[in-house]
Amino acid sequence: MEKIVVEGGRRLEGTVAISGAKNAALPILISGILADGCSVYRNVPDLRDIRTVMALLKNLGVHVHTNGDVVEVDGASIKNHEAPYNLVKTMRASVLVLGPLLARLGKARVSLPGGCAIGARPVNLHLKGLKHMGADIRLEHGYIDAQADRLKGACIYFDIPTVTGTENLMMAAALAEGTTTLKNAAREPEVVALAETLTRMGARITGAGTPEIVISGAKALTPVTVDIIPDRIETGTFMIAAAVTGGDVLITGCKPKHLEAVIHKVRQAGVKVEIDPKGLHVVAGNGISSVDVKTLPYPGFPTDMQAQFMVLMCLADGLSVISETIFENRFIHVCELRRMGAEIKVSGNTAVVQGGRPLTGAPVMATDLRASASLILAGLAARGLTEISRVYHIDRGYEAIEKKLAALGARLWRTRESP
Ligand code: EPU
């Protein structure tokens, strides 16, 4: 296994370009199986999760071809309907094939995702929605076995707005008979990007980006060429990297509109954030003010930025309260940050951060994707060396992170962990 070593204390300066969004690319690549032909996706990030989704598609018999950041998915070549355990356990988002397989082939066998480090993350709302659309669903031997002659449009209410649940049902509805209405749907930009893709493929969709999405299914969908939207979480992570190193960074190729809550909170912390024609210009101010944050579904503050924002608050001049309302166990990074000198108390879904304690480098362990990002950020701000083990988590969702940070002046490198 590999570890990343960060030598802290260097000010980040310069320009960084943002990659395509992992969480937009995953459902959009999968939507390729809905068309009877070859779709082309551009600006696809080179990530471990993207390689997993390509393996998943290949396992369905689908021809997938990659050339740099361009990926072709030939939906006409689909042969199988099974997403096996070894792929789903590597990446929970594999469950996104369930709706499209049912809609396209009338059957799907998908391993049931288990819990993960950040929470139980059930998929009951995905299944409930598909049942409403007429699917017969059985859970046996750790697999979801689903069948439907042709899915039928239905009115579905989500008890909780779920991102991949909304995406799964939107893809199923795009080939279903009649109209499907999704109420209390997720409003994330990645949901909107998928809706735009499905619309260009021939489905009629209104309301994406609002809590009510209406999808009129088509008999067949056509292949498309799509550019993946920029990654808003990678953007936010580089904003914090600039802020915690007293830096001055221009973040290009991003979409500030997708980050309003993050920009608002980072500015409240005293960091200068200018919306530039090229992207976001982030300049650290004199000192960091403490700010309270509560994670919420979009357009609220994203849970995927909570760990990184906590690092900023570790350096702030007072107490801040961080509430996590999306996942029940998303404070795992706290114990590692404490080992670096942070003073953080956790009670239930609330963390109270006493800022201003100096961070010092330490050996720490990555536990999930965003937690690992927070440890790299803490390492950048800390005195001395931070060694982050289990970095395969970071490779799931940050393209070339060491290279991008090094180009801004950070000093970090990857080595083998000693046994
Ligand atoms: N939930 C249920 N039942 C369901 C579905 C969800 O109870 O059937 C609950 C979840 O347990 C959670 C809440 O609803 O408490 C919201 O979860 P959601 O379904 O929205 O999460 P997700 O779709 O599994 C996506 C992202 C996550 C991101 C969350 C929240 C992808 C591939 N993943 O997950 O991204 O944290 O939305 O915004 O889009 C990451 O990139 O690091 C990551 C974890």
Side-chain angles (χ1 to χ4, degrees):
M1 272 201 272
E2 292 178 324
K3 64 180 174 188
I4 291 180
V5 184
V6 185
E7 188 183 314
R10 295 172 71 89
R11 181 171 191 258
L12 297 193
E13 267 179 314
T15 301
V16 63
I18 293 305
S19 302
K22 165 179 85 78
N23 289 348
L26 294 175
I28 289 177
L29 288 172
I30 288 173
S31 73
I33 65 178
L34 291 167
D36 202 9
C38 191
S39 293
V40 180
Y41 305 105
R42 301 187 294 218
N43 197 33
V44 177
D46 181 15
L47 301 170
R48 205 160 69 95
D49 275 8
I50 297 296
R51 288 190 283 278
T52 305
V53 86
M54 292 197 285
L56 183 66
L57 292 170
K58 285 179 184 164
N59 197 70
L60 298 171
V62 175
H63 297 159
V64 180
H65 183 255
T66 311
N67 184 6
D69 68 353
V70 179
V71 178
E72 291 175 9
V73 175
D74 185 358
S77 51
I78 189 161
K79 283 185 200 68
N80 309 322
H81 63 281
E82 178 166 332
Y85 177 60
N86 66 324
L87 291 172
V88 180
K89 78 168 189 227
T90 314
M91 185 186 72
R92 302 175 47 84
S94 306
V95 77
L96 280 167
V97 296
L98 180 61
L101 281 176
L102 253 182
R104 182 78 203 284
L105 302 177
K107 55 188 173 179
R109 184 171 151 78
V110 176
S111 172
L112 196 57
C116 87
I118 63 175
R121 306 183 73 182
V123 291
N124 57 316
L125 302 175
H126 303 224
L127 304 185
K128 192 171 129 192
L130 290 169
K131 279 185 192 159
H132 266 86
M133 296 176 76
D136 175 30
I137 296 185
R138 276 171 303 135
L139 301 182
E140 263 176 5
H141 307 297
Y143 274 78
I144 305 163
D145 271 305
Q147 297 215 343
D149 284 342
R150 184 163 180 215
L151 292 170
K152 297 202 172 40
C155 182
I156 294 156
Y157 174 81
F158 289 109
D159 298 336
I160 305 170
T162 152
V163 176
T164 48
T166 303
E167 292 166 347
N168 222 340
L169 294 190
M170 231 168 33
M171 288 191 277
L175 270 185
E177 187 186 331
T179 300
T180 301
T181 304
L182 304 178
K183 291 181 184 266
N184 198 24
R187 298 158 66 183
E188 271 67 3
E190 295 76 19
V191 171
V192 176
L194 175 65
E196 282 169 5
T197 303
L198 296 171
T199 303
R200 291 183 45 211
M201 293 169 80
R204 268 179 298 134
I205 304 184
T206 56
T210 77
E212 185 166 311
I213 306 178
V214 180
I215 307 121
S216 298
K219 276 217 169 89
L221 295 172
T222 49
V224 271
T225 298
V226 171
D227 290 308
I228 303 298
I229 59 169
D231 196 310
R232 63 193 167 101
I233 306 301
E234 187 195 17
T235 308
T237 304
F238 276 101
M239 288 172 71
I240 305 284
V244 297
T245 58
D248 180 340
V249 174
L250 179 65
I251 306 173
T252 61
C254 59
K255 258 216 158 102
K257 187 88 194 109
H258 292 170
L259 283 136
E260 281 179 347
V262 176
I263 292 173
H264 183 75
K265 286 291 171 184
V266 170
R267 278 183 180 151
Q268 253 186 295
V271 179
K272 208 167 121 200
V273 182
E274 270 173 18
I275 301 180
D276 183 280
K278 290 195 198 125
L280 280 173
H281 186 191
V282 184
V283 185
N286 291 326
I288 298 168
S289 313
S290 49
V291 179
D292 295 345
V293 156
K294 185 184 211 169
T295 65
L296 286 169
Y298 190 85
F301 190 90
T303 173
D304 290 345
M305 279 301 300
Q306 179 257 108
Q308 301 91 313
F309 196 82
M310 189 180 282
V311 176
L312 183 64
M313 290 302 97
C314 288
L315 306 176
D317 61 7
L319 267 188
S320 62
V321 179
I322 299 184
S323 315
E324 170 59 55
T325 76
I326 308 292
F327 293 113
E328 63 272 23
N329 195 28
R330 214 172 194 182
F331 283 141
I332 332 167
H333 45 282
V334 167
C335 296
E336 302 303 298
L337 292 176
R338 279 190 195 132
R339 300 193 59 256
M340 297 179 70
E343 191 179 324
I344 306 167
K345 287 199 178 91
V346 174
S347 171
N349 73 343
T350 304
V352 179
V353 184
Q354 172 62 64
R357 305 285 182 254
L359 296 181
T360 53
V364 288
M365 201 186 287
T367 45
D368 77 88
L369 171 56
R370 308 305 170 186
S372 7
S374 77
L375 297 177
I376 291 185
L377 294 173
L380 292 173
R383 187 164 42 82
L385 290 184
T386 299
E387 295 187 2
I388 303 148
S389 54
R390 301 204 180 160
V391 291
Y392 52 87
H393 289 291
I394 199 101
D395 298 331
R396 294 187 59 176
Y398 286 91
E399 185 175 59
I401 187 156
E402 296 122 277
K403 228 168 146 185
K404 289 188 183 185
L405 285 170
L408 295 173
R411 194 167 283 166
L412 73 172
W413 58 93
R414 198 177 277 242
T415 62
R416 291 228 141 259
E417 276 187 61
S418 39

